[in-house]
Amino acid sequence: QVQLVESGGGLVQAGGSLRLDCAASRNIFSYNVMGWYRQAPGKQREFVATITSVGITEYADSVKGRFTISRDNAKNTVYLQMNSLKPEDTAVYYCNLWASGNNAWGQGTQVTVSS
């Protein structure tokens, strides 16, 4: 079972930027999708962005134009660059990997945006 380790969360003022990293514990050679989801207090976990192993990306409408997802397949790592952060972006952000019908989740990293 692959392990996912996130880093890069923290506290930032509105309008600021953060970058989240997520590293997988081993190479994934098959077609796969890595992505980010988030869960705010009292709300369900929601989709943020995904990127396939061939570089196709998708974004939630709420983050389009502000967040950029990318990956380095040689490092088994996915990144989420978050710009123009808003207080409503405050949540625990979870990394996800889907491969060969299996799902793996990271432990989550807190992002807090102050107004």
Side-chain angles (χ1 to χ4, degrees):
Q1 178 75 2
V2 64
Q3 307 295 321
L4 302 175
V5 179
E6 300 123 334
S7 59
L11 173 64
V12 65
Q13 289 189 333
S17 298
L18 281 174
R19 192 185 83 174
L20 305 182
D21 296 2
C22 172
S25 58
R26 60 176 176 83
N27 290 330
I28 310 296
F29 296 105
S30 60
Y31 174 84
N32 63 82
V33 183
M34 297 189 78
W36 293 92
Y37 294 73
R38 65 187 182 187
Q39 188 166 16
K43 295 188 177 181
Q44 291 190 339
R45 191 172 298 188
E46 66 176 8
F47 163 76
V48 176
T50 54
I51 183 167
T52 72
S53 49
V54 295
I56 297 171
T57 60
E58 289 192 27
Y59 295 92
D61 287 344
S62 59
V63 306
K64 280 181 182 176
R66 300 188 298 122
F67 291 10
T68 302
I69 189 169
S70 61
R71 62 189 290 168
D72 184 336
N73 289 334
K75 296 181 178 179
N76 307 311
T77 300
V78 64
Y79 308 97
L80 186 68
Q81 178 66 45
M82 305 184 294
N83 298 329
S84 302
L85 282 160
K86 304 175 181 180
E88 51 263 46
D89 294 318
T90 295
V92 177
Y93 283 69
Y94 295 91
C95 179
N96 174 264
L97 167 66
W98 179 92
S100 302
N102 297 310
N103 251 327
W105 292 93
Q107 79 284 358
T109 184
Q110 177 70 46
V111 171
T112 303
V113 185
S114 63
S115 57

